[in-house]
């Protein structure tokens, strides 16, 4: 953590490009995986990850390090970016235009598993995207960022009990939605 703060200070004071590159390189893979777990699309994940780091560099002068660690601050940016992405017209249009023709057909079992996984994931994400923003943040950090309740509470500066309540309420909502969706088939 001290290394992150040192790099941030170098960027803030001197606009140090090498420090910025080191910070981005250190967190790129982790943030990319966080995004990919939610999009299941490599190209889109790279684009969103790039936008996250652009936002990070644009806002780095506001980072103080007193309220949260750099990593926590970066995940907060990433979570907001994911919420924005799933609300965007681009996502909604892309979701409508995706068809079964776009899926590569290999082995019959692989194709079926792939199709079922993609459909189930899309259904889950549809319900997650329908959550209130604060619930989405908690749900995404817990499920895709693998944060603990304590880390989420510190990141969002709310009591841990509130985080747990919102997470379990969201989980119940998503499970019920998916179950109802499956029951209609």
């Amino acid at each position: 953590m001290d290394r992150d703060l040192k790099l941030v200070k170098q960027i803030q004071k001197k606009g140090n490009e090498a420090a910025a590159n080191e910070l981005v390189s250190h967190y790129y893979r982790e943030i990319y995986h966080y995004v990919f777990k939610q999009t299941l699309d490599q190209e889109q994940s790279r684009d969103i990850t790039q936008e996250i780091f652009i936002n990070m560099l644009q806002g780095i002068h506001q980072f103080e390090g007193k309220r949260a660690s750099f990593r926590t601050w970066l995940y907060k940016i990433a979570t907001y970016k994911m919420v924005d992405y799933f609300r965007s017209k681009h996502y909604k249009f892309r979701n409508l235009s995706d068809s079964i023709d776009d899926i590569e057909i290999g082995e019959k079992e692989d194709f079926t598993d792939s199709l079922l996984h993609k459909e189930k994931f899309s259904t889950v994400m549809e319900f997650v995207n329908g959550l209130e923003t604060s619930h989405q943040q908690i749900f995404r950090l817990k499920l895709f960022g693998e944060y603990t309740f304590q880390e989420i509470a510190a990141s969002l500066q709310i009591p841990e009990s509130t985080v747990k309540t919102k997470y379990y309420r969201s989980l119940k909502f998503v499970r019920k939605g998916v179950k109802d969706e499956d029951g209609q088939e």
Side-chain angles (χ1 to χ4, degrees):
M1 291 301 160
D2 291 336
R3 190 186 113 254
D4 291 349
L5 283 175
K6 195 167 108 177
L7 292 170
V8 168
K9 298 280 184 225
Q10 289 175 5
I11 297 166
Q12 289 173 335
K13 289 180 182 175
K14 303 172 190 167
N16 189 322
E17 193 174 320
N21 287 337
E22 187 176 336
L23 208 51
V24 170
S25 295
H26 180 73
Y27 285 102
Y28 186 87
R29 186 178 209 139
E30 182 178 341
I31 295 299
Y32 172 81
H33 286 294
Y34 172 71
V35 172
F36 182 77
K37 285 179 186 177
Q38 297 176 70
T39 66
L40 297 180
D41 181 312
Q42 289 180 347
E43 186 176 328
Q44 191 63 47
S45 296
R46 282 192 293 268
D47 291 346
I48 293 170
T49 302
Q50 182 177 355
E51 289 175 25
I52 290 166
F53 283 106
I54 289 169
N55 285 6
M56 179 268 299
L57 290 170
Q58 289 172 338
I60 203 152
H61 292 288
Q62 288 140 1
F63 178 74
E64 297 172 356
K66 293 176 185 169
R67 291 191 277 171
S69 70
F70 175 78
R71 181 178 181 268
T72 299
W73 182 73
L74 183 59
Y75 267 92
K76 196 170 187 176
I77 292 170
T79 301
Y80 278 119
K81 187 55 79 177
M82 292 310 302
V83 170
D84 289 346
Y85 168 71
F86 283 114
R87 286 185 178 163
S88 72
K89 290 178 185 173
H90 171 76
Y91 169 74
K92 290 175 182 169
F93 174 76
R94 193 174 142 242
N95 230 19
L96 289 174
S97 65
D98 277 351
S99 68
I100 293 177
D101 297 336
D102 295 336
I103 300 172
E104 291 183 29
I105 300 175
E107 294 291 320
K108 185 177 179 181
E109 292 81 22
D110 291 344
F111 170 72
T112 304
D113 289 345
S114 174
L115 185 60
L116 289 174
H117 177 71
K118 191 171 185 172
E119 286 178 11
K120 183 67 91 177
F121 183 78
S122 293
T123 302
V124 168
M125 290 311 295
E126 191 176 307
F127 287 104
V128 171
N129 297 336
L131 295 170
E132 181 185 313
T133 301
S134 66
H135 286 75
Q136 274 191 55
Q137 287 178 307
I138 292 167
F139 196 82
R140 291 175 191 285
L141 287 171
K142 181 70 176 152
L143 196 64
F144 303 114
E146 300 174 6
Y147 269 49
T148 65
F149 289 122
Q150 187 176 12
E151 289 171 326
I152 295 169
S155 170
L156 300 177
Q157 299 176 332
I158 57 176
E160 190 174 340
S161 60
T162 303
V163 170
K164 288 179 180 178
T165 300
K166 286 184 175 188
Y167 174 75
Y168 287 117
R169 191 174 295 148
S170 298
L171 189 60
K172 185 177 179 182
F173 172 79
V174 171
R175 280 186 178 150
K176 183 183 180 330
V178 171
K179 185 178 176 186
D180 290 348
E181 192 84 12
D182 286 345
Q184 293 176 353
E185 292 182 5

